[in-house]
Every structure is written in structure tokens, then in C-alpha cells.
Amino acid sequence: MATAPTPELTVRPAAAADLAAIAEIYAHAVLEGTASYELEPPSLSEMTNRFNALRSGGFPYLVAEYDSRVVAYAYAGPFRPRPAYRFIVEDSIYVAPPAKGRGVGRALLERLIEEVRQLGFRQIIAVIGDGHEASASVRLHRRLGFADSGRLVGSGYKHDRWLDTVFMQLSLNGGTGFPPDPQSMPERRFRGEA
């Protein structure tokens, strides 16, 4: 008896055509989960604005597909707006419930880390809502080399309970061991060249 082939996972840059699926994945996370501290899902228009802001800033925004269907997305964006933070990005990753536990989050985060590294950033920060030890996001980030860097206890209130926020950090490109690379994307943007 032949078995059906396992669908192949594809990770690729997100496109505007993916935004409806991305908004649906995020809406579920907002309404049912605790990773996002938003209480109402943003509209497709708002998600489009967020996507366009990140892409126009040169930040990576990725989707994962099974059988040409978007099942997850991830992006890196500015950690904070002040210029001294320009070498740090914050990652975000959301996986649709049917795709959880299938290696989708790992594939996305591995690719995101590599794209951030190639751009010349020095740190990736994960700000994990409801970040407890059993959290899939905490476990994923830890497996990929992120270290714990802080916890805000009771920093959010959602679904009738207090939530902690965990900060995790991954050093890239020599971290703080070397001065900034003048050819890195953050430095070129700072000088108005990118």
C-alpha cells in the first residue's frame, strides 16, 4: 500500500499576496493565544501597513508554505527606534495551529537568523509573551542558540491571567567583540546610503 507523499515545506520571502493568510494566522494568535499582547486582531489594511514598513526598511519578512498554502510567517524589525539600537533587531514568528510541531517554526527562524546575519546586524532579540519554560517559542529560541536575557513578571494581562514577558538574545557577526562593520545594512542606513 502506497503512502501519500509528505508535503514539502518551502520558506520564501513574503509577498503582498500572502497578507490575507498572514493576517488570518495572526488573528488566531491574537484571539486564542498569549504570545501577542494585542487584544483585537489588526485589520488587513493595518497588517499591510506593517508589512510595507518592514519591507521598505530592508528587513526580512518570510513565509513558510505547505502545498502552496502559507502556514506560518516570521520577520525581523527594529528593536527600538533610537539610532544607537540600529544593530539590534527583534524577531517575530507565528505558526498556524495545524502546522505546529512539524518543524515549521525552526525552518523559519533558521532562515531569518541567516538573513539577519547577512545584513550585518549584531543581535537578535526575542520578546516572548507568556514566556514560560514550557513555551514552544522559548524552547525553539533556546535550541537555536538564544540565551535568556530577562523577564518582566506580570507584564501583560490577557485571557483572565497575568503573563510574563521573556527576553532572549542571540549574538551575530562577532556580537560586541568588534566595532560596527561600515558596510553593514544598519550602518549604511544610518549614513543615509541604503
Side-chain angles (χ1 to χ4, degrees), residues 87-89 116 121-125 169-172 175-176:
F87 298 102
I88 301 175
V89 292
V116 167
F121 289 97
R122 295 299 181 91
Q123 306 283 335
I124 302 177
I125 305 297
Q169 183 172 352
L170 178 68
S171 292
L172 303 170
T176 60

Side-chain angles (χ1 to χ4, degrees), residues 12-173:
R12 61 170 175 78
D18 302 318
L19 289 170
I22 288 169
E24 182 179 326
I25 291 166
Y26 188 61
H28 183 273
V30 169
L31 293 171
E32 303 297 328
T34 52
S36 170
Y37 285 8
E38 290 195 74
L39 300 176
E40 297 294 329
S43 67
L44 179 57
S45 174
E46 174 59 23
M47 292 296 285
T48 300
N49 291 340
R50 294 177 187 186
F51 171 79
N52 288 336
L54 289 167
R55 296 299 294 158
S56 69
F59 294 98
Y61 203 123
L62 307 169
V63 293
E65 294 179 317
Y66 273 124
D67 290 333
S68 300
R69 183 167 186 263
V70 173
V71 296
Y73 71 98
Y75 59 86
F79 176 64
R80 297 287 181 267
R82 293 187 175 94
Y85 285 118
R86 68 188 175 276
F87 298 102
I88 301 175
V89 292
E90 179 180 337
D91 74 18
S92 291
I93 183 165
Y94 291 93
V95 179
K100 289 183 178 181
R102 297 172 66 186
V104 175
R106 183 181 184 107
L108 268 174
L109 189 53
E110 286 175 340
R111 170 87 176 265
L112 188 67
I113 290 168
E114 185 53 35
E115 292 203 12
V116 167
R117 178 180 283 116
Q118 289 176 11
L119 291 169
F121 289 97
R122 295 299 181 91
Q123 306 283 335
I124 302 177
I125 305 297
V127 181
I128 302 171
D130 197 15
H132 49 82
E133 286 303 310
S135 161
S137 188
V138 168
R139 291 192 327 264
L140 171 63
H141 282 85
R142 196 170 280 140
R143 278 194 303 268
L144 293 182
F146 284 72
D148 296 325
S149 56
R151 173 181 301 276
L152 302 175
V153 176
S155 55
Y157 188 79
K158 187 173 180 182
H159 300 310
D160 298 322
R161 65 186 180 96
W162 290 103
L163 307 172
D164 292 355
T165 303
V166 167
F167 287 78
M168 299 181 81
Q169 183 172 352
L170 178 68
S171 292
L172 303 170
N173 297 317

